[in-house]
Amino acid sequence: MNRIEVKEALNLEAGENLVNLKGWVRTKRGSKNVSFIALNDGSTINNIQVVAENNIAEDILKLIHTGASISVNGKLVQSKGSGQAIELLAESIEVLGVANPEEYPLQPKKHSLEFLRENAHLRFRTNTFGAIFRVRHAMTFAIHNFFNQKGFSNVHTPIITGSDCEGAGEMFAVSTLDKVNTPLTEEGGVDYTQDFFGKETNLTVSGQLEAEMAALALGKVYTFGPTFRAENSNTSRHLAEFWMIEPEVAFADLNEDMDLAQDMLQYLCSYALNHCREDLEFLDKRLQEEEKHKKKEERQEMGLIEKLQFVIENDFERITYTEAYDILRNSKPNKKKKFKYLIEEWGADFQSEHERYLVEKKFKKPVIITDYPKDIKAFYMRMNDDGKTVRAMDVLFPGIGEIIGGSQREERLDILKSRMQEMDIPEHELWWYLDSRKFGTVPHSGFGLGFERLVLFVTGMGNIRDVIPFPRTPKNADF
Ligand code: ATP
Ligand code: MN
């Protein structure tokens, strides 16, 4: 007998044919004469109700608890209950795997997200995480779709990098050297010539520099890979291992870069609305429940679906760093000293509280800040004529803060070199990068979108640890 999935079964009509469904038991309830089993197989957020009457042996039913896996042969019938149109009247049930209720951590009740993080190996089996990871998949697919339709080539940039000046954060070392008897140089440092690659290597913090090389030949490229940052930031927005999408476009200036960023984010939000409707409706309700427990002034004004719709329908606000600085300096929370970090001198980086003020209070829509002070941005960003700011842009989203960071790249060899000197980046380390400015250089731009921050936004979740299957954060690499 052919197995069908729950998603398909729920869309069928009642019929005489026997069908087979397999899945995991969410709940079982009932009386002596009849049991009702909610069965889920991950194909949809919805369960199918299995009705087991007296024809199913008592000793089989006794093995069926929350978490058990079963295979059911039966007929799809019109449901007598109110919750569903169709249910499965069992003719025979095979228990594939038991789940002892004394030991199985998931009970048919609401568990806290913290508890589920400690049971990350099982949390896929809850409604919330089922929905999150189906949406995460849909976003992966949609990203490749978006770039493919636009004629971009996907490039795989290295995960192990030989340059420690990618400039985006602290790195994790990759080494096979003996940790106890580490070979040392005459000066007493680690002798990396004896290491696996014959030099110091790390896990990548960004694929951008390599992606630029590809863009300067293929025209339009993007990367979508894992990135690693050894920053000790224990926030709800940072992971030590996360995924990043980095498009890079030759002949594009910063305005075109911003257009691309807005286009992509709007495409992804509308893809989610069109392809993940049931999961989003569930997550929307979940969010509304969560909001009820918050203080009034901390509540989000929009529901999840409303928020996605809003992003699709509104152009993002574009302002310069200096304009944002003026707004923030004269803002109420700054004057009343409500910000943790007060805005005083021009040139300081904005904190998440400032970004969220601009997005949630001032403009009430996504904001793109451009032209940051050069000292708080990376060496490869294009210098403006004022000599003080660079052609950078950050896209800020409600509830998230920075979701994208990008820039027009410095394509002028002499200026790039002097910026590297200013920032103590040795030229010989990046000889290959400099070559691209020596031979056929062109204006080009790109950005990095943090994939988990996107999934946070689209699912309405509050903690980045809940949108990646097995999160890596300081002091935590379980599973
Ligand atoms: P932040 O200021 O939020 O720490 P960043 O400026 O260091 O981020 P970039 O180097 O600009 O980040 O990286 C591009 C994008 O990657 C960011 O806009 C963000 O969406 C994402 N990102 C950066 N660091 C992390 C992290 N530790 N965990 C998850 N996503 C991240
Ligand atoms: Mn950034």
Side-chain angles (χ1 to χ4, degrees):
M1 197 179 321
N2 278 344
R3 176 187 165 217
I4 58 172
E5 295 191 343
V6 173
K7 186 178 181 175
E8 184 189 348
L10 290 175
N11 284 318
L12 292 175
E13 305 279 315
E16 283 306 303
N17 293 340
L18 271 184
V19 294
N20 171 260
L21 277 96
K22 294 182 170 70
W24 294 269
V25 174
R26 285 293 173 82
T27 58
K28 187 182 87 172
R29 61 185 175 83
S31 59
K32 223 169 164 216
N33 297 321
V34 57
S35 298
F36 299 101
I37 300 163
L39 191 71
N40 189 284
D41 66 0
S43 59
T44 156
I45 187 139
N46 299 309
N47 304 324
I48 192 162
Q49 172 155 286
V50 177
V51 181
E53 295 180 337
N54 284 337
N55 58 322
I56 306 295
E58 189 66 27
D59 52 342
I60 289 192
L61 285 174
K62 270 201 303 217
L63 297 175
I64 299 177
H65 300 283
T66 297
S69 49
I70 62 174
S71 170
V72 186
N73 293 330
K75 282 180 189 161
L76 294 174
V77 297
Q78 215 73 39
S79 177
K80 295 190 192 97
S82 59
Q84 61 281 318
I86 269 288
E87 60 192 21
L88 181 64
L89 183 59
E91 299 220 334
S92 66
I93 299 182
E94 184 190 348
V95 177
L96 302 174
V98 295
N100 182 344
E102 249 87 84
E103 292 174 55
Y104 187 59
L106 302 185
Q107 299 302 317
K109 61 158 196 178
K110 197 172 152 53
H111 290 291
S112 73
L113 293 172
E114 290 78 16
F115 173 83
L116 291 172
R117 246 170 254 150
E118 286 161 17
N119 289 279
H121 59 308
L122 296 171
R123 66 179 178 171
F124 294 100
R125 297 188 189 188
T126 63
N127 282 331
T128 299
F129 286 91
I132 290 168
F133 291 115
R134 276 186 299 271
V135 171
R136 186 179 161 113
H137 159 74
M139 291 297 91
T140 302
F141 183 80
I143 284 162
H144 287 296
N145 220 14
F146 174 80
F147 286 116
N148 186 52
Q149 281 171 9
K150 286 189 173 290
F152 282 63
S153 294
N154 181 210
V155 297
H156 297 109
T157 49
I159 290 168
I160 298 173
T161 175
S163 63
D164 61 359
C165 32
E166 287 171 346
E170 291 300 305
M171 298 178 120
F172 289 101
V174 175
S175 172
T176 55
L177 287 179
D178 189 326
K179 286 201 191 67
V180 180
N181 296 306
T182 312
L184 300 178
T185 59
E186 274 170 20
E187 294 84 48
V190 175
D191 183 5
Y192 286 107
T193 61
Q194 296 190 45
D195 205 346
F196 188 90
F197 294 106
K199 63 182 291 197
E200 193 175 352
T201 50
N202 294 288
L203 292 178
T204 184
V205 294
S206 157
Q208 179 200 317
L209 302 188
E210 290 93 346
E212 281 185 53
M213 301 306 104
L216 294 175
L218 296 169
K220 296 182 300 236
V221 303
Y222 71 104
T223 71
F224 189 165
T227 37
F228 307 86
R229 297 196 185 171
E231 299 154 312
N232 213 341
S233 39
N234 239 321
T235 76
S236 57
R237 314 264 174 270
H238 290 90
L239 291 162
E241 176 181 293
F242 64 100
W243 291 68
M244 188 144 65
I245 297 97
E246 297 182 275
E248 197 65 43
V249 186
F251 314 109
D253 64 14
L254 193 72
N255 287 321
E256 293 163 275
D257 203 34
M258 291 190 276
D259 292 343
L260 180 69
Q262 180 179 322
D263 251 23
M264 171 167 94
L265 290 167
Q266 289 178 332
Y267 174 86
L268 295 174
C269 289
S270 75
Y271 190 94
L273 285 175
N274 292 334
H275 293 83
C276 310
R277 199 71 201 193
E278 286 177 331
D279 287 323
L280 290 182
E281 278 166 6
F282 173 85
L283 291 165
D284 198 354
K285 276 202 209 103
R286 199 203 77 87
L287 185 62
Q288 282 170 30
E289 280 301 309
E290 294 267 293
E291 293 289 299
K292 280 187 200 154
H293 301 295
K294 284 192 193 158
K295 282 189 237 136
K296 214 167 181 184
E297 59 274 18
E298 284 169 17
R299 280 187 208 159
Q300 300 186 25
E301 282 165 28
M302 278 186 236
L304 177 60
I305 289 179
E306 218 181 332
K307 217 168 57 174
L308 295 172
Q309 205 71 52
F310 185 79
V311 166
I312 298 167
E313 287 163 5
N314 288 281
D315 277 335
F316 301 177
E317 187 73 31
R318 298 179 185 189
I319 56 169
T320 65
Y321 169 91
T322 304
E323 286 163 346
Y325 163 78
D326 283 335
I327 292 169
L328 288 167
R329 200 169 43 116
N330 296 313
S331 70
K332 242 195 211 162
N334 201 54
K335 287 187 166 157
K336 294 195 164 167
K337 302 199 175 356
K338 286 271 160 61
F339 283 142
K340 193 164 160 228
Y341 298 91
L342 293 180
I343 299 286
E344 285 158 349
E345 299 292 302
W346 184 94
D349 208 356
F350 298 145
Q351 304 294 322
S352 153
E353 57 180 344
H354 309 128
E355 298 175 341
R356 294 185 60 173
Y357 172 84
L358 291 169
V359 173
E360 289 159 34
K361 297 279 184 302
K362 173 75 187 171
F363 292 107
K364 295 188 188 299
K365 56 174 166 169
V367 174
I368 310 183
I369 301 183
T370 62
D371 302 287
Y372 281 81
K374 68 178 166 93
D375 292 334
I376 55 171
K377 290 291 179 189
F379 72 93
Y380 49 72
M381 299 190 178
R382 192 176 199 278
M383 182 64 77
N384 283 322
D385 292 341
D386 63 11
K388 290 194 315 202
T389 59
V390 288
R391 211 67 182 111
M393 64 112 172
D394 278 8
V395 181
L396 314 178
F397 257 36
I400 307 279
E402 180 187 333
I403 193 166
I404 281 180
S407 68
Q408 185 167 335
R409 318 307 188 190
E410 184 55 77
E411 85 283 13
R412 298 161 296 185
L413 182 64
D414 50 334
I415 300 178
L416 183 60
K417 275 186 173 173
S418 71
R419 283 289 288 147
M420 286 171 66
Q421 221 160 34
E422 261 175 55
M423 297 176 82
D424 275 333
I425 299 168
E427 276 182 29
H428 66 88
E429 289 261 354
L430 285 179
W431 62 271
W432 52 273
Y433 188 73
L434 290 168
D435 261 9
S436 69
R437 273 57 170 178
K438 240 193 265 174
F439 309 120
T441 190
V442 299
H444 61 288
S445 302
F447 61 79
L449 164 68
F451 186 53
E452 284 75 20
R453 294 206 187 160
L454 170 79
V455 181
L456 264 184
F457 182 75
V458 175
T459 58
M461 297 300 289
N463 192 314
I464 201 163
R465 292 168 178 80
D466 295 329
V467 298
I468 189 164
F470 297 104
R472 267 77 183 105
T473 51
K475 299 281 179 288
N476 168 39
D478 285 339
F479 308 102

